[in-house]
Amino acid sequence: ADAGGEPTPLRLCKFGCGCKVKAGLTGGGRPYDTCCKTCAVSHGTGGHDADCPGPPAEARPVCAKASRCRIRTADHLRVQAHPFDKDYVDCCAACGAEPEPYSLKSLFDWSDADGSGKLSRDELQSTLAIIAQLSGWDQNPEDFPPISDAAWRRLDEDGNGVVNFSEFASWAGPRLGLPLGLRRASSMCTVGRATACQVLGCPCEAYEKGDGFWGKCKHCKHKAGLHRHKTEQTGEVEFPDYWSSRNGDFQNVIAMTASAAQEFQELLNQTYRKVWTRDRRRHCPDNPNVPSGFQVLRVSRNENSAMWQEFYARRTELQLRVAEAKTGDAEEIQIFDDVKTVTAWASIGGIKAQRLAKECNEFYLFHGTSPEAAQNICNTDFKLSRAGENTGTLYGRGLYFAESITKADEYAKPNSSGEFAVLLCRVLGGNVLYTADEVPDAEELVHQCVEGSFDCVLGDREVCKGTYREFVLFDSEDVYPEYIIEYQRKY
């Protein structure tokens, strides 16, 4: 202890080996800041001298929450070791604990102090010291300048005011060389996986036992043994089994067969409602009448590795939050199991509905657009900067989705042949903010989702107006446009 009775802070080797600094002064009269000569020469990557003081006699206990710990009080951080502490690995060894590997995901989780799954500008600023340490930059953290407006705009690619994991990984990955860390995170949660048919050229996406004695698939008539999970994928991101591409970088739009398209026709039939709204008059001035139905012309599946990686990372984060809620470490979310597109898809596709992570409110929802715009979205993703241009901003400037084909069709635009398109998207609702207000406070809804604990808005005009429900997202990472459905209106 010092003269004032306060405990002397434990000083560890500056190269992060976890050992105590050598006692005494250097030849220049300065206190040592390394543990021994060998460690100093090797910059912490080699061995140690025989007389190296070694790690502290009593290592700190390790926080079980690791990088996802949300207790940031000075007492807790001093008493327990966490990832990115210089003595973390040694404390794990002393406690017999497995250290959490350093990765972009663990760094993002540690930076996300409030557990929102998004980084504010202040949270990212506070992380620069760790990034500097991992990069080997020799600079005092207090000397780091504030993140400039230009730098923040480059980081916040979709312009929603916060940085999601994919945006963070795109920026920090080249600077740090760390792995994504998604494989470890996804191993901590489960996703229902259907068994796709392995017969070459068979479009069957999931085995479901038929009525016959031999148990052949009711969809493709191939035997059960030919339906299995496809071979182990080499990357950290797991692509759907039923996709044609599953490894590397790819961007393909796959035409679906006529029999598969018939399932989507049934989906449109089941989600059709003959209810008129003022939006139809606004967006369809040439013919504001509600169509009597919709005829599917063709369906394509979008297989885009870069866009799926963003969606997969976000879904993994939501599943981790759900797992933490079971132990009281995160807020529980309300499950919405009455979404019309999801219930219809379950009745049509059977076991294929298991591909959705229902525990974090993953839905299939429609987004009305034009055939050309649908292709562009599948190539380059949704753009938040253009949100509201076509759909309005009743619930804020965001991405609008519908559970009814009739509502989505209000926003659809024809091509030169008079054909329309909707995207059937996988949407992560997460913690859903429900409102049935006739005149909602759009600013407050956006604030709760972008800066608060909610992930999307469910605007229920079916309750307050007898029309439709809409889902509004404020981060393109929460959406994956999986199918393009091209169709004609029927009157």
Side-chain angles (χ1 to χ4, degrees):
D2 62 19
E6 293 293 327
T8 303
L10 180 66
R11 296 181 62 238
L12 300 176
C13 176
K14 72 175 184 180
F15 292 114
C17 67
C19 294
K20 296 180 290 185
V21 298
K22 184 177 179 179
L25 303 176
T26 66
R30 298 189 306 274
Y32 283 107
D33 57 6
T34 59
C35 59
C36 62
K37 184 176 181 179
T38 300
C39 186
V41 171
S42 65
H43 284 212
T45 61
H48 294 271
D49 294 345
D51 60 349
C52 177
E58 294 185 6
R60 294 186 295 164
V62 176
C63 178
K65 304 302 180 185
S67 63
R68 295 182 69 82
C69 174
R70 305 303 175 214
I71 304 174
R72 301 304 175 89
T73 62
D75 285 345
H76 178 75
L77 296 177
R78 184 180 68 253
V79 171
Q80 296 195 21
H82 297 79
F84 308 105
D85 289 346
K86 290 186 176 182
D87 61 339
Y88 174 66
V89 173
D90 288 287
C91 290
C92 287
C95 299
E98 183 70 24
E100 179 178 325
Y102 288 171
S103 66
L104 294 173
K105 185 67 171 69
S106 62
L107 179 56
F108 180 87
D109 286 344
W110 182 249
S111 307
D112 180 21
D114 61 1
S116 66
K118 305 175 279 275
L119 298 187
S120 67
R121 194 163 173 172
D122 288 341
E123 285 177 326
L124 185 61
Q125 181 74 42
S126 67
T127 308
L128 292 182
I130 297 176
I131 294 175
Q133 171 191 324
L134 295 173
S135 303
W137 298 342
D138 185 16
Q139 186 176 356
N140 189 324
E142 296 180 357
D143 295 335
F144 293 148
I147 298 172
S148 68
D149 292 342
W152 180 253
R153 284 194 296 270
R154 289 194 296 270
L155 274 164
D156 181 19
E157 293 177 358
D158 56 11
N160 65 345
V162 291
V163 170
N164 58 41
F165 173 71
S166 293
E167 292 168 334
F168 175 80
S170 297
W171 172 74
R175 290 164 171 80
L176 301 178
L178 293 173
L180 280 175
L182 292 179
R183 183 172 292 279
R184 179 180 184 276
S186 62
S187 69
M188 299 166 65
C189 45
T190 58
V191 184
R193 293 181 63 193
T195 48
C197 185
Q198 303 299 294
V199 174
L200 186 65
C202 181
C204 179
E205 298 178 352
Y207 171 78
E208 192 166 358
K209 189 177 183 298
D211 296 330
F213 174 77
W214 299 105
K216 292 183 178 179
C217 177
K218 66 180 290 187
H219 302 294
C220 66
K221 310 307 179 186
H222 292 139
K223 61 184 181 181
L226 294 173
H227 294 74
R228 57 186 181 274
H229 296 310
K230 297 187 178 178
T231 54
E232 183 68 20
Q233 300 174 35
T234 57
E236 294 193 58
V237 175
E238 185 176 330
F239 297 104
D241 272 349
Y242 55 90
W243 281 13
S244 301
S245 306
R246 295 177 304 283
N247 284 305
D249 297 328
F250 52 85
Q251 183 177 315
N252 305 309
V253 176
I254 310 297
M256 305 291 287
T257 64
S259 59
Q262 185 56 40
E263 292 185 337
F264 292 88
Q265 178 66 66
E266 183 60 26
L267 180 64
L268 267 57
N269 293 345
Q270 289 195 27
T271 59
Y272 171 83
R273 291 182 65 208
K274 194 175 180 63
V275 176
W276 183 89
T277 77
R278 287 181 295 178
D279 282 337
R280 185 165 292 277
R281 181 173 59 197
R282 173 188 172 193
H283 297 289
C284 313
D286 294 337
N287 188 350
N289 297 318
V290 179
S292 60
F294 305 96
Q295 181 63 47
V296 172
L297 301 175
R298 64 193 71 88
V299 180
S300 303
R301 184 174 63 234
N302 176 39
E303 300 182 2
N304 187 309
S305 59
M307 291 169 59
W308 178 261
Q309 176 176 302
E310 294 184 358
F311 181 82
Y312 181 87
R314 177 61 175 157
R315 187 175 68 175
T316 298
E317 167 62 27
L318 287 175
Q319 289 174 313
L320 287 172
R321 280 167 51 186
V322 170
E324 290 172 343
K326 294 179 180 178
T327 60
D329 295 313
E331 180 182 352
E332 289 190 12
I333 65 173
Q334 179 184 354
I335 301 301
F336 287 79
D337 56 6
D338 62 344
V339 178
K340 296 177 178 61
T341 33
V342 177
T343 56
W345 185 249
S347 70
I348 298 164
I351 199 171
K352 284 190 284 189
Q354 293 183 8
R355 69 180 60 158
L356 300 177
K358 296 180 181 179
E359 70 275 12
C360 57
N361 284 323
E362 182 181 359
F363 313 127
Y364 268 128
L365 294 171
F366 296 116
H367 180 80
T369 184
S370 68
E372 180 183 8
Q375 291 284 349
N376 290 337
I377 291 171
C378 289
N379 290 334
T380 62
D381 209 347
F382 288 95
K383 301 298 182 185
L384 263 296
S385 59
R386 301 186 62 184
E389 289 183 357
N390 189 41
T391 56
T393 56
L394 179 65
Y395 300 105
R397 294 185 68 89
L399 305 173
Y400 282 65
F401 298 87
E403 60 184 348
S404 168
I405 180 59
T406 318
K407 180 60 181 176
D409 173 69
E410 291 180 351
Y411 307 125
K413 301 297 181 185
N415 60 13
S416 57
S417 301
E419 299 171 352
F420 298 82
V422 291
L423 290 165
L424 184 64
C425 302
R426 295 174 74 150
V427 174
L428 296 171
N431 194 14
V432 178
L433 178 55
Y434 175 88
T435 176
D437 293 345
E438 189 170 337
V439 184
D441 184 343
E443 179 60 32
E444 178 61 20
L445 295 175
V446 173
H447 172 76
Q448 292 276 13
C449 290
V450 175
E451 300 178 43
S453 62
F454 292 94
D455 300 299
C456 83
V457 172
L458 168 50
D460 197 341
R461 311 295 282 179
E462 189 173 334
V463 165
C464 68
K465 285 289 191 178
T467 56
Y468 302 99
R469 301 196 303 183
E470 289 190 276
F471 297 76
V472 188
L473 283 296
F474 302 94
D475 195 329
S476 59
E477 191 181 38
D478 291 326
V479 182
Y480 182 81
E482 189 167 25
Y483 296 100
I484 302 173
I485 305 174
E486 297 176 75
Y487 65 94
Q488 288 179 330
R489 291 172 176 168
K490 297 191 300 183
Y491 290 96

